């Protein structure tokens, strides 16, 4: 499939930067629509797993991740995408940031009752709680990138960096390539499909979960193709929300907008989720019911903003996009997302449920 000719024509007509914006918007809209219709959420999957249940939320998450891995590795094998050129690979990753940032992010998504991607998707359907928590996430991410939290980020990330100024791609580090990635993706897909059937996740939601995973690879393929024909030095990227949210927040405050994939991605997800909510008749305004609920949500958003930048990616940027091409620190961060969620669920949610449980009196 030759994408170079149409991409060249589009870039020549609209310009490289506007084309990058459009590519981001299309990728985001497809992901947003699919994520809304499938109820895709890392936090929900992690909470199910932490409570010892192999339920429908975990099935949906695993299905999307497996689809992202399979399609990304297939794109590599067919020459539609070269993972070595991905922006995620062109800087040193941080193992220490993956561990600490992953834990902090995992705790934050349980407190906020949604991962970074889910917050944005629900905000698009009218959830004001998620909108406010998402704004706090974006602000905290900006503070961590270039504000008063930046020294903390540099210190934590500097404790253990990947060598040679580049990230680690796990398949290459063991002397393997896309075929191994394809095999891993296939195994995960089989496991996901079995779990879908066992947990009765629903085939409609499952199809949209597959589409959410495919949207990640679409971003990889389109940005890689554009990088081959563009006169501008455009990065090969796909969906991630922590840093792009921070950049958009800074742009809104300064009034200076640089056309890019990321600038199109966030509004695209918002529009896609709005359309998904419209189709499913799930558009509704929702707010906070109490001050404690608000404080919990805002603290969770702040922890996700800080943890996502430390880890090098959020629930989507690390947990799906990074995993799809086996970026070592981002795969590690995803493990610690789950661990942080387990800790928060055990210490906060389950402890609160136990405290409010009725006392059983024996006669």
């Amino acid at each position: 499939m030759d994408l170079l000719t149409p991409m060249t024509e589009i870039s020549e007509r609209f310009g490289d930067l506007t084309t990058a914006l459009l590519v981001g918007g299309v990728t985001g809209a497809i992901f947003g629509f699919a994520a809304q219709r499938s109820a895709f959420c890392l936090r929900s999957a992690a909470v199910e797993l932490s409570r010892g249940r192999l339920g429908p939320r975990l099935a949906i998450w695993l299905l999307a991740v497996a689809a992202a891995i399979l399609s990304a590795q297939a794109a590599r094998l067919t020459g539609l995408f070269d993972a070595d050129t991905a922006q995620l690979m062109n800087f040193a990753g941080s193992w220490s940031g993956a561990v600490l940032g992953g834990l902090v992010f995992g705790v934050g998504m349980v407190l906020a009752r949604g991962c970074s991607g889910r917050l944005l998707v629900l905000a698009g359907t009218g959830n004001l709680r998620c909108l406010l928590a998402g704004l706090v996430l974006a602000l905290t991410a900006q503070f961590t990138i270039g504000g008063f939290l930046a020294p903390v980020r540099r210190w934590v990330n500097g404790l253990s960096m990947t060598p040679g100024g580049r990230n680690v791609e796990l398949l290459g580090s063991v002397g393997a390539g896309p075929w191994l990635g394809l095999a891993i993706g296939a195994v995960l897909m089989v496991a996901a499909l079995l779990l879908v059937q066992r947990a009765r996740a629903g085939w409609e939601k499952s199809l949209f979960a597959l589409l959410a995973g495919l949207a990640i690879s679409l971003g990889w393929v389109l940005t890689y193709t554009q990088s081959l024909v563009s006169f501008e030095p455009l990065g090969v990227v796909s969906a991630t929300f922590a840093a792009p949210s921070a950049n958009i927040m800074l742009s809104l405050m300064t009034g200076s907008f640089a056309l890019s994939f990321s600038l199109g991605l966030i509004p695209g997800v918002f529009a896609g989720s709005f359309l998904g909510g419209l189709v499913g008749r799930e558009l509704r305004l929702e707010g906070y019911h109490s001050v404690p609920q608000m404080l919990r949500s805002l603290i969770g958003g702040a922890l996700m903003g800080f943890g996502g930048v430390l880890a090098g990616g959020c629930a989507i940027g690390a947990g799906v996009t990074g995993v799809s091409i086996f970026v070592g620190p981002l795969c590690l961060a995803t493990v610690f997302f789950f661990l942080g969620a387990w800790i928060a669920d055990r210490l906060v949610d389950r402890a609160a449920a136990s405290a409010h449980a009725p006392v059983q009196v024996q006669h």
Side-chain angles (χ1 to χ4, degrees):
M1 182 178 179
D2 182 16
L3 296 177
L4 290 176
T5 300
M7 183 63 75
T8 300
E9 293 174 353
I10 294 172
S11 290
E12 288 178 350
R13 180 173 181 179
F14 296 104
D16 292 335
L17 297 180
T18 301
T19 300
L21 180 77
L22 294 174
V23 167
V26 169
T27 302
I30 295 173
F31 178 84
F33 182 83
Q36 196 283 328
R37 299 305 301 144
S38 65
F40 172 84
C41 179
L42 174 58
R43 174 256 173 191
S44 298
V47 168
E48 276 190 347
L49 190 61
S50 74
R51 298 184 182 186
R53 297 201 302 265
L54 301 178
R57 301 295 192 184
L58 181 61
I60 291 298
W61 180 83
L62 187 59
L63 200 59
V65 172
I69 293 174
L70 272 174
S71 54
Q73 298 305 313
R76 293 181 65 188
L77 284 168
T78 56
L80 292 174
F81 165 55
D82 181 1
D84 289 337
T85 65
Q87 191 167 293
L88 287 176
M89 295 302 303
N90 291 322
F91 58 85
S94 172
W95 299 107
S96 51
V99 172
L100 183 59
L103 285 173
V104 171
F105 187 95
V107 171
M109 68 182 183
V110 169
L111 294 180
R113 299 193 184 279
C115 66
S116 51
R118 189 64 178 162
L119 292 184
L120 181 57
V121 167
L122 289 180
T125 63
N127 192 313
L128 301 180
R129 300 191 306 271
C130 292
L131 177 62
L132 188 54
L135 290 173
V136 172
L137 184 157
L139 278 173
T140 309
Q142 185 57 51
F143 295 154
T144 309
I145 293 171
F148 71 96
L149 291 174
V152 179
R153 171 184 58 79
R154 288 192 290 267
W155 179 77
V156 171
N157 285 348
L159 292 175
S160 179
M161 303 287 289
T162 57
R166 281 181 60 83
N167 228 323
V168 172
E169 195 261 335
L170 295 178
L171 300 179
S173 67
V174 297
W179 282 111
L180 177 59
L182 207 63
I184 294 172
V187 170
L188 291 177
M189 180 61 74
V190 171
L193 291 172
L194 291 174
L195 187 55
V196 164
Q197 185 175 17
R198 178 182 181 274
R200 298 180 181 178
W203 292 108
E204 181 180 352
K205 286 188 175 181
S206 298
L207 288 173
F208 283 116
L210 289 173
L211 181 59
L214 292 173
I216 301 301
S217 294
L218 178 66
W220 284 132
V221 170
L222 292 181
T223 57
Y224 173 69
T225 303
Q226 193 187 4
S227 73
L228 297 178
V229 302
S230 172
F231 290 103
E232 298 285 344
L234 300 176
V236 178
V237 295
S238 192
T240 186
F241 298 136
S245 296
N247 292 336
I248 288 180
M249 180 67 68
L250 182 62
S251 297
L252 289 172
M253 291 188 294
T254 61
S256 176
F257 292 88
L259 300 182
S260 65
F261 175 90
S262 296
L263 186 63
L265 178 71
I266 304 298
V269 173
F270 195 89
S273 63
F274 176 83
L275 181 59
L278 185 64
V279 169
R281 298 181 179 179
E282 297 174 356
L283 296 178
R284 63 180 65 89
L285 289 175
E286 298 183 53
Y288 292 107
H289 302 299
S290 66
V291 172
Q293 182 193 34
M294 179 178 179
L295 290 175
R296 170 181 168 140
S297 176
L298 298 185
I299 291 171
L303 290 176
M304 281 195 287
F306 178 63
V309 173
L310 272 186
C314 61
I316 306 302
V320 187
T321 301
V323 167
S324 73
I325 58 172
F326 296 93
V327 180
L330 300 186
C331 292
L332 180 64
T334 304
V335 173
F336 278 88
F337 291 163
F338 278 86
L339 182 57
W342 178 82
I343 292 171
D345 180 60
R346 186 175 183 85
L347 296 182
V348 179
D349 286 350
R350 280 189 274 179
S354 299
H356 290 91
V359 177
Q360 299 293 326
V361 179
Q362 295 185 2
H363 299 283

